[in-house]
Amino acid sequence: MSWQSLREKYERFTRWQREPMRYVNSEEEHRCSNCGFIFTGNYCPCCSQRAGVGHIGWRSVRQSLMDIWGLGSRSFLYSVLQLLLRPGYFISDYINGKRQVSFPPVKMLFILAVAYALIFHWLFPDFKALGYGMDFSVFGYSEGEEEQIANMFKPFYDWYETHFSWVMLILSFIAILPTWVMFRYSPRNTRHSLPEGFFIQVFFADLQVTLCLLSLPFWFFFKQMAIVTVSTLVVMLYYIVGYRQLFGYSLWGTLWRQAFVFGFIYCIALTLAFLVFDFGLPTDLPVAPGRTINLKSLYIGFFVISGIMILATGYLINRLATRWAQRRQQ
């Protein structure tokens, strides 16, 4: 296979990524099987039934079985495949009005999260929650220190394990604001709204859980640390590709803006973790005779201020970069 043929296939693939759906309107005259109305097109304008509905066959049986789980009208598998092959373009289609072909993203997130939890516990029934029980020796910790660290984070990992879908939804909510701030002047989907940002992040959460599901077979053959590392890199790569397709920035413009987004998410996620969970850290720090500082409040304040500073710095740099780009175009 020559380099030229590979390039042509890649160009066809990128064209398909941008415009995968081509609707063809029927020019034939139909009589609706439901209401008897005579019409031209794909759907009856009187009762909305599809043209060409005929006798019941095995396809009808399959469709009915899929409808039990809400997978029939807008294909679940089709939406997952679209997210894997053209993540940013698919999300852009949805927020710009092409919603008929997409499975509802929030429902998709909960179905994927439940499927991941069930399959994971079925395949690895004795495995402790993600991260709990990991091999910390690669970081130079002794066996006793490993156990101490594992026990420190056990409440968080246990909650993470039993509320996986909610964790992904919470992270999606956290990512709405920084994405809106850093990508609101983008060449594509400029000034997207915060509600649109919610669906953007839910779709990316769908993609992340899908990649976690696809990584499960590798748990039989490789060490946990290697799988987590590779999975994290693959997820980050998909985020870069997806954000670039969605917002239209260059690779470098996407990368540095994403760095500010992830920095803010990290700080706010740690703030929520310290608010909700007790990690067994010292609670009071003596600063003077009879005076102490609550360390938990200190940690929370530090992460909140850090998150605000990261987002404010990113906003200022983004504004300067946008003005500079606009002057270059003039």
Side-chain angles (χ1 to χ4, degrees), residues 22-307:
R22 292 179 175 86
Y23 297 101
V24 179
N25 192 31
S26 174
E27 300 293 336
E28 299 179 12
E29 190 175 84
H30 304 276
R31 177 182 290 274
C32 180
S33 302
N34 183 54
C35 66
F37 188 81
I38 298 175
F39 65 97
T40 300
N42 296 330
Y43 292 89
C44 174
C46 184
C47 68
S48 302
Q49 180 162 288
R50 181 189 291 271
V53 173
H55 295 290
I56 292 177
W58 288 112
R59 183 178 180 182
S60 303
V61 174
R62 177 183 62 82
Q63 190 77 17
S64 297
L65 292 175
M66 293 182 68
D67 282 338
I68 297 175
W69 300 96
L71 308 181
S73 58
R74 285 173 284 181
S75 174
F76 176 84
L77 296 178
Y78 174 83
S79 298
V80 171
L81 186 64
Q82 290 279 307
L83 277 175
L84 290 172
L85 296 179
R86 49 187 298 270
Y89 294 127
F90 182 64
I91 298 170
S92 181
D93 288 343
Y94 184 87
I95 65 174
N96 285 306
K98 296 181 180 179
R99 296 175 194 143
Q100 188 60 33
V101 296
S102 173
F103 192 82
V106 178
K107 184 188 291 187
M108 188 194 306
L109 176 60
F110 278 84
I111 291 176
L112 286 169
V114 170
Y116 175 78
L118 292 176
I119 295 173
F120 189 90
H121 288 294
W122 177 62
L123 293 176
F124 311 101
D126 299 325
F127 190 84
K128 296 178 181 179
L130 180 62
Y132 179 55
M134 284 180 64
D135 182 13
F136 291 98
S137 60
V138 296
F139 301 109
Y141 293 109
S142 64
E143 185 176 344
E145 290 173 329
E146 285 186 57
E147 184 178 355
Q148 183 178 0
I149 293 172
N151 290 331
M152 181 185 301
F153 290 99
K154 184 179 184 301
F156 169 75
Y157 289 131
D158 288 343
W159 191 87
Y160 178 94
E161 184 181 36
T162 55
H163 300 83
F164 183 61
S165 56
W166 286 104
V167 171
M168 300 306 299
L169 198 59
I170 290 170
L171 291 175
S172 298
F173 272 109
I174 296 174
I176 294 172
L177 180 61
T179 300
W180 180 77
V181 170
M182 297 305 303
F183 290 90
R184 62 193 306 253
Y185 304 112
S186 58
R188 193 177 298 131
N189 294 307
T190 307
R191 294 185 181 274
H192 71 278
S193 66
L194 291 176
E196 288 173 342
F198 166 74
F199 286 103
I200 289 172
Q201 297 308 322
V202 170
F203 270 119
F204 276 109
D206 293 332
L207 178 59
Q208 187 171 344
V209 181
T210 300
L211 294 173
C212 290
L213 273 168
L214 294 176
S215 72
L216 288 181
F218 296 98
W219 288 75
F220 290 103
F221 308 105
F222 301 98
K223 291 184 178 180
Q224 179 188 352
M225 184 63 70
I227 297 171
V228 170
T229 302
V230 173
S231 299
T232 302
L233 291 175
V234 171
V235 169
M236 294 299 296
L237 180 62
Y238 258 102
Y239 266 88
I240 294 170
V241 172
Y243 268 68
R244 190 179 180 188
Q245 292 178 354
L246 178 62
F247 295 111
Y249 280 118
S250 66
L251 178 60
W252 169 242
T254 302
L255 283 173
W256 70 260
R257 287 176 174 85
Q258 275 191 318
F260 284 103
V261 171
F262 288 133
F264 178 83
I265 294 172
Y266 181 77
C267 290
I268 300 304
L270 285 176
T271 300
L272 294 177
F274 275 101
L275 278 172
V276 176
F277 301 102
D278 181 13
F279 292 108
L281 298 172
T283 56
D284 296 316
L285 176 68
V287 293
R291 293 187 59 189
T292 60
I293 296 178
N294 187 284
L295 281 180
K296 188 172 183 178
S297 301
L298 190 64
Y299 295 143
I300 292 172
F302 171 77
F303 288 124
V304 169
I305 294 173
S306 298

Side-chain angles (χ1 to χ4, degrees), residues 181-183 185 249 252-253 255-260 309-325:
V181 170
M182 297 305 303
F183 290 90
Y185 304 112
Y249 280 118
W252 169 242
L255 283 173
W256 70 260
R257 287 176 174 85
Q258 275 191 318
F260 284 103
M309 290 182 63
I310 288 172
L311 195 58
T313 303
Y315 172 76
L316 292 175
I317 296 175
N318 188 35
R319 287 291 293 154
L320 292 173
T322 302
R323 290 176 180 174
W324 182 68

